[in-house]
Amino acid sequence: MPETVESVFASVVARNPGEPEFHQAVREVLESIGPALARHPEYAEAQIIERICEPERQIIFRVPWEDDQGRIRVNRGFRVEFNSALGPFKGGLRFHPSVYLGIVKFLGFEQIFKNALTGLPIGAGKGGADFDPKGCSDREVMRFCQSFMTELYRHIGAQTDVPAGDIGVGVREIGYLFGQYKRITNRYESGVLTGKGLAYGGAQARTQATGYGAVFFAEEMLRQSGSGLDGKRVVVSGSGNVAIHAIEKVHQLGGRVVACSDSGGYLLDEKGIDLEVLRELKEQRRGRLADYVLDVPHAVSVAGRTPWEVPCDLALPCATQNEIGGAEAAQLVAGGCSVVVEGANMPTTPEAVRILGRAGVRFAPGKAANAGGVAVSALEMQQNASRESWTFAESEQRLQETIRDIHARCWATAEEYGLPGDYVAGANINGFRRVAEAMLAHGLV
């Protein structure tokens, strides 16, 4: 990292103490944009780096709600509106006990470059609450969402900030949030939230978009080297929405997913994960992955370990941040893995990225590879604005085209700056330059 950039990073750490995920995300970007800064001194003169690392607005609020026993609960809500240089703030809401300001800022910072890479007119934000919908009744979730939106509504709008779903926030939660927004504002603004149900303005293929998009990106990486997914042995972490749809698309394109995971361990099915069984288990019964073997006796459930010890050609981390550390990266290398594509946000630590790079494993960062979700969210905004509704096939085609464009931009940018095949540098430099040029055009804001 150049000395001038190092001083910026030190300032970010000092101004944002106790937020290691945010620090990690900032460092990862700053370490790779040196070539762009050398070519464009005007960025440093306008202090673009300092400005891009500071959110435009950070909102923290109390969320009181009543549980089914009549007890008052209190959670903390967040919305970090990070950068609006390219359009209205855009990014998901995460409901999970681990949510705190540092997590939201890390996700929002990553969103800046992810959204810029799509080529669509959207800025970047992120939000959520330290609320756990697991174990709550539908009515408890509804009351929480209504209380959350009672504060959030004043900060969002189709031309201002457009939240979406993330971990813990699916169609059910978006429905409750939208209903409360409509109730408070007396306006039917379809474009104020994305990830909506199809009955009231949602987009076809939005549920599948992040998982499908990661696989489309992997397919482009393999095609670049004259290969493809057909016959490839694949390992996926997670068993939620992103993981399930990544598995589905891998199977459709001829690959075979042999392992996936949840917080209790991982599942190994050498014949290929049975999607029908997995979906019924996770989406209907909301059970543990270990129960899969009750329906598929030849499968093996491995408790307390990660799937990265399973030999594979392609790894798709689709669970959570920092799930692949140095030890896990070494396991992937030893197991013959040649491509790692991030379906989750920052699931690979810097140490792991270095180990994979030294071993010649091609690596795609989440800001490029998992941009499918926000891409289709932006297309949902477009449909809402024009009062249109596209078919699933149309939405999936546009998703695939967007991912191909992102891959091409990352590849071409890495080549342009003398870093061929470096998807991290290509993604960071391309996204940074697009936002930086917009910020320069807007003046000192």
Side-chain angles (χ1 to χ4, degrees):
M1 192 185 297
E3 186 176 338
T4 53
V5 178
E6 187 72 60
S7 66
V8 174
F9 179 69
S11 174
V12 168
V13 173
R15 288 167 63 86
N16 303 274
E19 299 175 358
E21 299 88 356
F22 178 50
H23 303 162
Q24 179 183 336
V26 172
R27 175 175 278 281
E28 189 260 356
V29 170
L30 296 188
E31 284 181 338
S32 58
I33 62 173
L37 297 175
R39 191 176 296 186
H40 297 275
E42 65 271 23
Y43 295 164
E45 291 168 9
Q47 292 201 305
I48 293 294
I49 310 171
E50 290 86 346
R51 290 157 61 188
I52 214 169
C53 291
E54 184 69 24
E56 292 183 28
R57 196 170 295 110
Q58 301 180 62
I59 303 152
I60 304 176
F61 52 95
R62 180 179 63 196
V63 188
W65 57 283
E66 185 177 347
D67 67 18
D68 288 343
Q69 286 70 49
R71 294 174 298 187
I72 303 301
R73 305 288 189 92
V74 180
N75 287 94
R76 181 173 287 179
F78 304 89
R79 188 66 180 173
V80 174
E81 297 174 333
F82 226 111
N83 193 288
S84 62
L86 298 176
F89 304 107
K90 184 81 191 80
L93 298 170
R94 175 176 294 192
F95 291 170
H96 192 272
S98 65
V99 169
Y100 78 108
L101 186 59
I103 288 282
V104 177
K105 284 162 70 175
F106 130 62
L107 293 167
F109 185 77
E110 286 278 290
Q111 202 82 35
I112 297 172
F113 308 97
K114 181 189 301 185
N115 292 4
L117 281 168
T118 68
L120 298 167
I122 46 176
K126 207 74 179 183
D130 57 356
F131 166 73
D132 190 355
K134 289 183 179 178
C136 289
S137 70
D138 284 349
R139 295 189 68 80
E140 286 176 325
V141 172
M142 180 184 70
R143 287 191 290 269
F144 175 83
C145 288
Q146 290 174 338
S147 181
F148 185 88
M149 182 54 79
T150 298
E151 173 59 34
L152 185 66
Y153 88 94
R154 70 190 77 240
H155 306 291
I156 64 175
Q159 304 302 323
T160 305
D161 183 354
V162 183
D166 195 281
I167 293 173
V169 179
V171 172
R172 174 184 63 173
E173 288 77 15
I174 292 293
Y176 294 148
L177 291 166
F178 182 74
Q180 184 71 354
Y181 180 87
K182 183 168 66 74
R183 179 186 189 186
I184 293 171
T185 63
N186 193 32
R187 294 195 302 271
Y188 200 104
E189 286 186 45
S190 296
V192 73
L193 289 165
T194 59
K196 300 183 294 295
L198 295 178
Y200 62 102
Q204 296 274 6
R206 175 60 189 92
T207 302
Q208 296 84 355
T210 305
Y212 277 21
V215 177
F216 287 147
F217 199 96
E219 184 182 36
E220 292 301 307
M221 292 176 72
L222 291 165
R223 184 180 286 125
Q224 191 72 42
S225 60
S227 182
L229 269 166
D230 193 41
K232 291 293 189 293
R233 182 181 169 92
V234 182
V235 168
V236 174
S237 68
S239 50
N241 177 63
V242 177
I244 284 174
H245 290 105
I247 294 169
E248 180 178 60
K249 185 52 66 176
V250 167
H251 288 176
Q252 288 176 3
L253 296 175
R256 178 164 52 97
V257 178
V258 297
C260 62
S261 64
D262 64 12
S263 59
Y266 74 87
L267 175 76
L268 178 64
D269 187 342
E270 289 289 353
K271 294 183 179 180
I273 299 296
D274 187 319
L275 260 181
E276 185 177 341
V277 173
L278 180 63
R279 278 201 165 107
E280 195 276 333
L281 174 64
K282 284 295 183 178
E283 296 178 350
Q284 297 180 34
R285 284 191 274 160
R286 299 185 185 272
R288 305 304 301 168
L289 203 56
D291 294 336
Y292 177 98
V293 301
L294 300 176
D295 297 298
V296 186
H298 67 259
V300 178
S301 176
V302 181
R305 281 150 61 185
T306 69
W308 313 124
E309 64 186 18
V310 178
C312 65
D313 302 304
L314 166 66
L316 293 167
C318 296
T320 190
Q321 65 269 10
N322 292 329
E323 58 174 298
I324 299 180
E328 291 78 16
Q331 288 177 326
L332 286 169
V333 171
C337 181
S338 60
V339 178
V340 174
V341 174
E342 293 188 325
N345 293 305
M346 206 172 72
T348 315
T349 68
E351 178 192 10
V353 174
R354 287 191 291 271
I355 291 171
L356 295 172
R358 286 197 296 266
V361 177
R362 284 167 290 164
F363 172 78
K367 60 172 64 71
N370 74 16
V374 75
V376 175
S377 283
L379 297 178
E380 182 176 331
M381 293 166 63
Q382 182 178 333
Q383 292 171 77
N384 294 158
S386 61
R387 298 290 196 267
E388 292 182 321
S389 181
W390 302 340
T391 66
F392 187 95
E394 287 176 306
S395 293
E396 185 176 6
Q397 180 183 352
R398 295 199 186 206
L399 166 64
Q400 189 166 18
E401 290 170 354
T402 300
I403 294 298
R404 284 176 175 167
D405 288 345
I406 292 172
H407 178 273
R409 279 194 285 273
C410 292
W411 183 268
T413 302
E415 290 269 353
E416 178 187 350
Y417 284 87
L419 300 163
D422 188 336
Y423 286 96
V424 173
N428 286 335
I429 292 173
N430 187 279
F432 175 75
R433 282 191 56 187
R434 184 163 183 246
V435 176
E437 290 297 327
M439 292 176 73
L440 284 176
H442 296 164
L444 187 58
V445 295

